Amino acid sequence: MAKFKPIELIKELRGKLCSHSDIYFQRRARTLCTGKICNPRTKPFSEAELARQTKFTQARAAVKALTQEQIADYATAFKNQTKYVSLQGYMFAMEYAKLGN
């Protein structure tokens, strides 16, 4: 995938362009990427995939339910690490890890 500098119009565009589009934009770390879904899914999700989706939903809800004090603690820990680019990504990863396997 080639790197590009997006114009101001699409600088922060995420997700699909419309409900009929198979082209999407997303940010991976510090790079904005675009892609096209060539082979859409035709079979139902497996039990393992559904379990991962549920765990993701629970972690997202846990991040949204954090108190200001907990967010401040995460912000302090976030400054001392280099793996995660955003505070939201860091908090999500920590809450996701708490859910276990």
Side-chain angles (χ1 to χ4, degrees):
M1 215 177 268
K3 291 185 179 180
F4 67 96
K5 181 158 179 81
I7 60 175
E8 289 297 319
L9 180 63
I10 61 170
K11 194 169 188 174
E12 290 300 321
L13 183 64
R14 283 184 247 151
K16 288 188 171 189
L17 295 174
C18 69
S19 62
H20 302 97
S21 175
D22 59 356
I23 297 173
Y24 63 90
F25 293 87
Q26 72 181 48
R27 184 173 299 280
R28 291 185 181 169
R30 294 179 174 94
T31 305
L32 183 65
C33 303
T34 183
K36 180 173 174 32
I37 301 171
C38 298
N39 299 311
R41 180 184 208 72
T42 57
K43 62 180 183 174
F45 292 109
S46 70
E47 290 298 319
E49 289 170 322
L50 291 172
R52 281 192 298 273
Q53 289 174 7
T54 302
K55 185 176 175 184
F56 184 94
T57 303
Q58 291 171 345
R60 193 69 204 124
V63 170
K64 287 182 180 181
L66 291 174
T67 64
Q68 289 300 320
E69 183 179 294
Q70 291 169 319
I71 292 172
D73 293 340
Y74 274 132
T76 303
F78 172 72
K79 291 177 184 175
N80 297 326
Q81 58 83 38
T82 57
K83 181 177 179 180
Y84 298 97
V85 177
S86 70
L87 177 59
Q88 284 291 322
Y90 177 74
M91 290 189 303
F92 178 83
M94 297 301 108
E95 293 297 324
Y96 191 87
K98 286 180 184 178
L99 296 173
N101 295 331

